[in-house]
């Protein structure tokens, strides 16, 4: 239902408006509010901030319609105004438009013309509010969804290819905050949330700095993906930076002696990238899956505090760029053969 504020000091205009638009009022398409001058109109808007448009006369006591336009722009710039006045000379029209009026109608009122103008103004007001809401929702969405997903959604064909996927070459990194599960079982929820958000924020900064992106947060762990040139090198650089940053953080939490440490597993190779989930339910997760991802998670499980673990295949790719120590062979879940792992030192 459109809410319309009529500002006019003519005593009989309220009754005339209610008569002319009685069907719209009965059908709850329009709701009218009335004010005798600009000052009272501003009070009405403060009481009813959901007002969509204002129909205002010019010549009124206390505050005229042109002054109201200026005040209204400061108070609520989304509310659109139409001047309805007998003073339809060019100076008044120009002044009204310069002060933000959407349109100008001269008296005596032609109600057919008024109806068309009101609908046009209401449509414009709705469009503005929808645009503002879309911007607000988009800004919120950016806090929850990675830029890669937003770029994908921006593709004109995304609806027809929403379940499509591609095979990519990249690096997956899992980072776990060591010993945090035990802390979360004993500490207050707000303390736990404050701590983990602080740690995540520092880690994410380093991942983004090295042109990786966050695939997801998993409890007290992060899954990150690196694509493009030197993706494995950038992932290892990010991992080293994360370890260094976490080791410099002071204790967080009242009377809580917890020093944060991380364990990291890294694996590069082929993986499937795309939307995983149910298109029918409209619940999807833009992510990567495959053996490379599973192996990276298993390597993180094998890592100890402040350890960055990679497999032999990755070691052979970066051994000239990073100092690594051989750890030994381990058996990974769902793997028929054990693999040799290395610890990245620097």
């Amino acid at each position: 239902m459109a809410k319309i504020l009529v500002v006019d000091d003519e005593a009989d205009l309220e009754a005339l408006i209610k008569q002319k638009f009685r069907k719209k009022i009965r059908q709850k398409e329009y709701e009218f509010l009335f004010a005798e001058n600009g000052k009272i109109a501003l009070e009405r808007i403060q009481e009813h901030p959901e007002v969509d448009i204002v129909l205002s006369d010019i010549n009124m006591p206390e505050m005229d319609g042109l002054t109201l336009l200026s005040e209204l722009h400061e108070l609520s710039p989304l509310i659109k105004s139409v001047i309805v006045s007998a003073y339809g000379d060019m100076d008044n029209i120009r002044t009204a438009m310069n002060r933000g009026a959407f349109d100008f109608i001269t008296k005596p009122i032609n109600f057919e013309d008024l109806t068309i103008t009101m609908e046009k103004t209401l449509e414009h007001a709705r469009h503005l509010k929808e645009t503002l809401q879309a911007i607000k929702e988009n800004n919120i969405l950016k806090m929850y969804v990675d830029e890669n997903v937003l770029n994908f959604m921006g593709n004109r064909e995304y609806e027809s290819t929403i379940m499509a996927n591609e095979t990519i070459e990249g690096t997956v990194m899992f980072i776990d905050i060591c010993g945090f599960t035990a802390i979360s079982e004993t500490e207050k929820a707000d303390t736990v949330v404050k701590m983990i958000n602080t740690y995540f924020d520092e880690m994410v900064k380093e991942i983004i700095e090295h042109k990786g992106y966050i695939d997801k947060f998993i409890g007290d762990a992060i899954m990150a993906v690196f694509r493009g040139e030197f993706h494995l090198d950038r992932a290892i650089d990010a991992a080293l930076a994360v370890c260094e940053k976490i080791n410099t953080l002071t204790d967080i939490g009242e009377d809580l002696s917890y020093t944060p440490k991380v364990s990291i597993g890294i694996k590069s190779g082929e993986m499937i990238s795309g939307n995983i989930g149910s298109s029918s339910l409209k619940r999807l997760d833009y992510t990567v899956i495959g053996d490379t991802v599973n192996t990276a998670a298993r390597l993180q499980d094998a890592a100890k505090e402040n350890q960055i673990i990679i497999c032999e295949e990755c070691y052979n790719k970066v051994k000239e760029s990073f100092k690594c120590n051989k750890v030994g062979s381990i058996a990974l879940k769902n793997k028929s053969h054990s693999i040799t792992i290395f610890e990245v030192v620097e």
Side-chain angles (χ1 to χ4, degrees):
M1 179 164 55
K3 187 166 285 192
I4 303 162
L5 175 61
V6 179
V7 189
D8 201 304
D9 61 340
E10 290 186 23
D12 58 346
L13 184 61
E14 179 175 343
L16 187 59
I17 289 285
K18 289 179 177 179
Q19 177 189 348
K20 293 292 185 180
F21 294 101
R22 61 186 181 278
K23 290 184 179 179
K24 296 279 190 180
I25 295 172
R26 282 201 303 265
Q27 294 169 357
K28 298 189 181 299
E29 294 182 32
Y30 290 168
E31 178 184 357
F32 287 95
L33 303 172
F34 297 90
E36 295 80 30
N37 56 57
K39 182 179 179 182
I40 297 175
L42 295 175
E43 294 173 0
R44 291 279 190 276
I45 290 171
Q46 288 179 325
E47 294 168 1
H48 304 274
E50 67 278 13
V51 165
D52 294 296
I53 65 172
V54 172
L55 307 178
S56 177
D57 193 8
I58 290 180
N59 190 20
M60 296 178 292
E62 292 196 66
M63 182 185 290
D64 63 74
L66 297 178
T67 304
L68 172 61
L69 283 175
S70 300
E71 296 289 333
L72 187 60
H73 182 73
E74 295 294 325
L75 178 65
S76 185
L78 287 181
I79 298 178
K80 297 293 108 180
S81 302
V82 175
I83 294 295
V84 184
S85 174
Y87 298 91
D89 57 275
M90 187 55 65
D91 286 343
N92 277 326
I93 293 175
R94 287 181 59 83
T95 302
M97 294 303 180
N98 288 336
R99 295 187 185 186
F102 184 76
D103 210 333
F104 197 110
I105 291 178
T106 56
K107 290 182 178 179
I109 300 173
N110 180 320
F111 278 92
E112 183 178 350
D113 183 34
L114 177 62
T115 301
I116 294 171
T117 303
M118 285 169 52
E119 287 296 331
K120 181 177 65 175
T121 310
L122 284 168
E123 182 62 29
H124 181 72
R126 290 190 194 104
H127 179 70
L128 282 178
K129 290 182 179 180
E130 287 170 0
T131 301
L132 183 64
Q133 181 66 19
I135 293 171
K136 181 179 179 181
E137 290 172 355
N138 187 56
N139 289 336
I140 294 172
L141 183 64
K142 286 180 179 178
M143 297 173 64
Y144 289 89
V145 182
D146 186 82
E147 184 180 357
N148 292 274
V149 183
L150 296 177
N151 290 338
F152 172 76
M153 292 170 65
N155 187 324
R156 291 182 301 172
E157 305 297 329
Y158 87 92
E159 288 186 347
S160 60
T161 61
I162 197 162
M163 299 303 291
N165 56 68
E166 60 177 332
T167 299
I168 66 165
E169 184 79 18
T171 297
V172 179
M173 175 168 65
F174 283 87
I175 310 173
D176 184 69
I177 304 175
C178 301
F180 199 80
T181 301
I183 295 295
S184 63
E185 291 174 350
T186 57
E187 293 301 315
K188 293 184 291 186
D190 58 343
T191 300
V192 171
V193 170
K194 178 183 176 183
M195 291 173 65
I196 199 167
N197 283 345
T198 300
Y199 301 149
F200 277 170
D201 192 47
E202 295 299 332
M203 290 188 279
V204 167
K205 288 177 184 176
E206 300 300 336
I207 293 168
I208 293 174
E209 177 69 21
H210 292 86
K211 296 181 172 56
Y213 71 88
I214 305 302
D215 186 279
K216 60 175 66 69
F217 296 99
I218 314 166
D220 54 7
I222 292 176
M223 174 181 167
V225 180
F226 295 78
R227 300 175 64 170
E229 278 193 317
F230 303 107
H231 51 80
L232 177 56
D233 296 66
R234 289 187 284 108
I236 294 175
D237 280 331
L240 290 167
V242 165
C243 286
E244 182 180 355
K245 175 64 71 173
I246 290 295
N247 286 333
T248 63
L249 294 180
T250 56
D251 293 346
I252 301 172
E254 301 171 2
D255 302 322
L256 180 63
S257 56
Y258 173 74
T259 303
K261 303 292 180 183
V262 294
S263 59
I264 301 176
I266 297 174
K267 177 70 169 71
S268 69
E270 283 191 350
M271 61 198 82
I272 304 299
S273 174
N275 281 305
I276 307 300
S278 169
S279 59
S280 300
L281 189 61
K282 305 300 183 185
R283 291 295 299 273
L284 300 169
D285 186 15
Y286 186 80
T287 186
V288 290
I289 60 172
D291 183 67
T292 297
V293 180
N294 296 337
T295 302
R298 301 288 181 261
L299 293 175
Q300 183 275 308
D301 287 338
K304 299 176 182 178
E305 289 186 355
N306 280 342
Q307 266 196 328
I308 302 168
I309 296 298
I310 62 175
C311 65
E312 187 172 15
E313 179 187 355
C314 290
Y315 166 73
N316 288 329
K317 293 178 180 178
V318 299
K319 60 185 179 182
E320 295 182 357
S321 302
F322 298 92
K323 179 181 178 181
C324 303
N325 294 332
K326 185 176 179 179
V327 176
S329 295
I330 62 169
L332 296 183
K333 184 179 179 181
N334 297 327
K335 293 287 186 179
S336 56
H337 300 288
S338 61
I339 67 170
T340 302
I341 61 172
F342 291 78
E343 173 188 9
V344 179
V345 179
E346 61 181 357

